[in-house]
Amino acid sequence: MRDSGREIDELRKINMETNFTVHPEGSVLISVGNTKVICNASIEERVPPFLRGKGKGWITAEYAMLPRATETRNIRESSKGKVSGRTMEIQRLIGRSLRAVVDLDKLGERTIWVDCDVIQADGGTRTASITGAFVAVVLALGQLVDKETIKELPIKDYLAATSVGITPDGTEILDLQYSEDSIAHVDMNIVMTGSNEFVEIQGTGEEATFSMKQLQKLLELAENGMNQIFALQKDVIGKWADSIGEKEAE
Amino acid sequence: MRDSGREIDELRKINMETNFTVHPEGSVLISVGNTKVICNASIEERVPPFLRGKGKGWITAEYAMLPRATETRNIRESSKGKVSGRTMEIQRLIGRSLRAVVDLDKLGERTIWVDCDVIQADGGTRTASITGAFVAVVLALGQLVDKETIKELPIKDYLAATSVGITPDGTEILDLQYSEDSIAHVDMNIVMTGSNEFVEIQGTGEEATFSMKQLQKLLELAENGMNQIFALQKDVIGKWADSIGEKEAE
Amino acid sequence: MRDSGREIDELRKINMETNFTVHPEGSVLISVGNTKVICNASIEERVPPFLRGKGKGWITAEYAMLPRATETRNIRESSKGKVSGRTMEIQRLIGRSLRAVVDLDKLGERTIWVDCDVIQADGGTRTASITGAFVAVVLALGQLVDKETIKELPIKDYLAATSVGITPDGTEILDLQYSEDSIAHVDMNIVMTGSNEFVEIQGTGEEATFSMKQLQKLLELAENGMNQIFALQKDVIGKWADSIGEKEAE
Amino acid sequence: MRDSGREIDELRKINMETNFTVHPEGSVLISVGNTKVICNASIEERVPPFLRGKGKGWITAEYAMLPRATETRNIRESSKGKVSGRTMEIQRLIGRSLRAVVDLDKLGERTIWVDCDVIQADGGTRTASITGAFVAVVLALGQLVDKETIKELPIKDYLAATSVGITPDGTEILDLQYSEDSIAHVDMNIVMTGSNEFVEIQGTGEEATFSMKQLQKLLELAENGMNQIFALQKDVIGKWADSIGEKEAE
Amino acid sequence: MRDSGREIDELRKINMETNFTVHPEGSVLISVGNTKVICNASIEERVPPFLRGKGKGWITAEYAMLPRATETRNIRESSKGKVSGRTMEIQRLIGRSLRAVVDLDKLGERTIWVDCDVIQADGGTRTASITGAFVAVVLALGQLVDKETIKELPIKDYLAATSVGITPDGTEILDLQYSEDSIAHVDMNIVMTGSNEFVEIQGTGEEATFSMKQLQKLLELAENGMNQIFALQKDVIGKWADSIGEKEAE
Amino acid sequence: MRDSGREIDELRKINMETNFTVHPEGSVLISVGNTKVICNASIEERVPPFLRGKGKGWITAEYAMLPRATETRNIRESSKGKVSGRTMEIQRLIGRSLRAVVDLDKLGERTIWVDCDVIQADGGTRTASITGAFVAVVLALGQLVDKETIKELPIKDYLAATSVGITPDGTEILDLQYSEDSIAHVDMNIVMTGSNEFVEIQGTGEEATFSMKQLQKLLELAENGMNQIFALQKDVIGKWADSIGEKEAE
């Protein structure tokens, strides 16, 4: 068992509160243990210049933390006048992941802006952001279907993310909280579809390395965790749950 | 009666949820109608360069909105690479207001960082920020008293803020929501202490003006509203309520 | 009597030199005691994007200080690469104030750029800027009338500004110079029209507060000072003096 | 066989010219097919603030492209005034990878600055940068050993990188050139040590996904390619080749 | 004769008003025809990091234009958030020129900040800045002598600047105003000492070239003009005029 | 003879490698002794806004140094977020110089982007950049002639640059390497055409001055050096050598 009291293959408690704020087309407050992220999806009726006139949509994501989301206060990126490398990496990852499951052709010439704002951080903020953002995007696109702006939900499959890692004593564990993450030898973020296909694997050994065998074990842990998350997403999404993935049959 | 269904001297429903997030020394989620602001107070054990070695503390405030706090999405200030004039005005106002009721000499050489992050906006975000930030500061300083870092709460009086304004048909009203604020001829923000002394008056006629008589009426409305807010703050602050203002007797 | 030798209700000597530089449509060097500001008004034959095609004009203002306008040298904002919060507050105030007396519909689709550059500072630079900028705008618009570009002066009323404040010993005084301003407990800037209607009130107690009674006294002092300033503006404006405010009768 | 005429498991021709420029402690021009990167390693006799006094060293990397390294000219990041998200991701990756094989404790309180400047780009610039930077770092540290500043080469193992990917027709291939990379469904960068341990895996499906089986095939291709690269590095490093990895026996 | 009515070797009327503003140690308003520049010299009792502890002083210059110094309004560099290449070139030139005649060793560990702010521009703003700045620096250093902070004026020689150029019809002319400068084929700025030694020559043919013979003629014109300017500077400097250049005898 | 072993009128060895990289229309690696600069010319089929619709072309230049081009590492300008004054001066000089010999009317509505990237620096990087950039531009424009996009080479004359200077012991020397440049009393950069007309003279005495007689000697040295450089350029340019300057006869 881990210091956190969890089993090595045990996820933290996950909760997703939909319609958390009133203005966005899709709004979700996701909690993964003590990590809390507001995921808002906004629909804009135009696309960036490089896509204009192609009949295709786009998804772009932004990520930020409140200054005191963490144990000690961070300086606001707006005050520093620039976005950090870490922030850029994360928002590029979120956008890329969502684009893998949304059918951009069926979306039509519109942009989905996804804002992931961490209000409380305890490790795994980027993976919680992806898991919550997927639900926010479903709700936002669901509104378009309800308003008959589009005919059907342009979503090809479920999407979620989690982290796995290797502790200093060499154990592979699932869903690292901050106290685990900050000392882990290897840290890996996995983004996966509901069909258990990989969308993204980012594994990093900071001043450490890992073998093929360890990699196998990490991927297994992730897959098992992910399937529990997909079940939760289905519950939260409600009436839209069955419209996802059907198109696969085409 | 107003379009909003409120009387001209009626505040919106105000709620303050304390300890909203776990890391900050003081954390409050304030709702004023549909306006919702996370107010976090962080204690830092040092002061800015201009105050070093003077035995005196400092309070500084930052204010931001989530991109989709509003009806249409705003570009993040971190993406723009600079903080807007509006944001700067508001954060200077919040800091100045709090410094009027906190005894900076008794605070000692420490800085209180106040972060007001608007997660949902419906008018009056700056006044809600001040009202909520005061409570967050009391809680943060209360922690210092509990830990016996300081002997008593270095707070001279209650502090709250509200807005008043003049409608296009010439009526003076209290606590403007966005639909009222966006068409008002005159807009005034008042910051006041529990003893009904002014800390700040900012009255503005955008492409309009107002008379001395109208000003009187606006100030009266504000004072009445403010006294209701002070009562709410006392409830929320709980055990610290009686420690505020006693020093007045000195 | 004050340290400065002035009575509590006595303005500093005000001088306005018109056509101070040759290029701008309106150019005024205003001195208020030792405070000196170059106020230039430039006419641009187009409006910002949000106003295009609405047949309405716009006024925008910029404010800056020469680095050695003050006792000790300040770093240039162009070197720092950003405009300070104080500068933004002031330039927003100047623009907003002028827009309250200029009839933007009659101005037509053009922008007035007002540049207030402080070459010597001794307190009250923002209020001197407004008083001088009003004259520069009248001269610039007068040129448009002379050239028959517009039919009549689109100015609804006079506009001026001054400061009032409360000294550490509790006295209310008019038109604070720097030595008074830097120790005042309360500092208030008032912008008013020739009909003695308020355009803007900004009263601030930095680490202090003020009562309703003190506020009344401050507003009285301001009104008396303002009426002397309007008389000076009329002299300086010369042939345009009678064209202002007539439209009120409509 | 591929359009490029290569076998699916065939690397492009790799060349590393050492001492390419005279000033840096370690300087390498690496060519991987038409991709050419100048990799310079500079030794600085101090560490960043967060490491001072800990007796430990640091490695940091910067990456850039000449504007016309690519088919069409890119705007310089110095002209844009900011470093792109892509650049930040790459330089963080290079630094992290090198830190996994350099013994920072044995390095002592000094920083290695690694500059990877792409002068000609044809896909795989980040992996070529890592492969070349490793050699530049060995040469720079070798100089320290020659000058007897440090006793032995503080390098734990060889380090190289390559890319693998999946073509639109579903074939897994090794070492993608630009014409292959720009249409690949899956793109994966692998960083590995001489002992065939992973340092970093970054696999991405842009608007696509990949299965566990495909992942296995990609990792195999990478491992085979990597072993050929290690052999080349050994040749180039010359007299230092045997000093690397011995410490493994400890 | 030129379009401007001047002879080809005729300077515009030059005027220098000393003590133009009250705060700077040296303050001069220089007019060269319609070009007007405020030149302020400020003394700071420390030097930049690269000179600390060397017993030597420094001179640095900044240059700017009011937005409406020119025929059409320019955007403020503080609004653009960066200083243009042209501004940087000019301020580097002013600083370098002054450092050629001030004895930095005798100045001691202090910095002279020179601010040249153009309030009205009609060609030759950089040369007017140098001529005026020299006088401002003499006055500022004179104050140090008067206060007995330094023993004697640390100035080795007079310094002035002017422009020469070649008109489209091939005539060499002295001191170009804007109407001449904007069409000149060759434009040359010369900075010279009172002993007629060159400090700086910057000659430029924009889409044109010039011969050795033309260069000779231009340099002659400049030398004659310069000698008239030195005479004016002597008058303005008053009691300090004889203290400059004596040191040459050493 | 100089410390460097060269005669006072002796150039360093110059080499120009054409087609150094594959993508640019013109690409040259120029070495002047130990100074090495990659000069790339790119053709863009449009002009900046101020030239649109005028049937005329434009040339613009950018200049940068690799961080470790110098003895000690410099911070990247992209990391600093701004381009230094020195860089701006140099790139403006390069662009201006090239525009003096390219016939912009015959170029038609296209822009030549010239990138000069210093990979190794030992003094004279800006003059080497101009000399190499001229060749790159000839090659790029030659491609346009070969493709029959334009009829003939729109180049009016040869163009090269070199430096001259005065040593601390008063000797005038040609082509300063860094060890000479860093202690020279006077430093002068000359840009000249093949007909020995001046395009640009920039002579500077940092804390020193120079006489008319010294200037003459410097210009003579430059002219002799330049004629050797033109001969080298002719060799390198090959088939285009005879097409330059013929138009002079028109």
Side-chain angles (χ1 to χ4, degrees), chain A residues 64-91:
Chain A
M65 274 202 194
L66 294 203
R68 197 59 196 284
T70 45
E71 186 53 38
T72 55
R73 187 179 182 276
N74 293 301
I75 300 173
R76 241 168 239 276
E77 297 195 328
S78 58
S79 302
K80 283 192 280 191
K82 60 176 180 182
V83 171
S84 73
R86 178 185 173 275
T87 294
M88 285 202 195
E89 262 185 50
I90 295 174
Q91 50 200 23

Side-chain angles (χ1 to χ4, degrees), chain A residues 147-166:
Chain A
K147 290 191 291 185
E148 299 183 6
T149 310
I150 53 179
K151 266 185 270 173
E152 50 171 4
L153 213 56
I155 295 184
K156 295 183 280 186
D157 204 344
Y158 283 87
L159 181 86
T162 193
S163 71
V164 286
I166 303 180

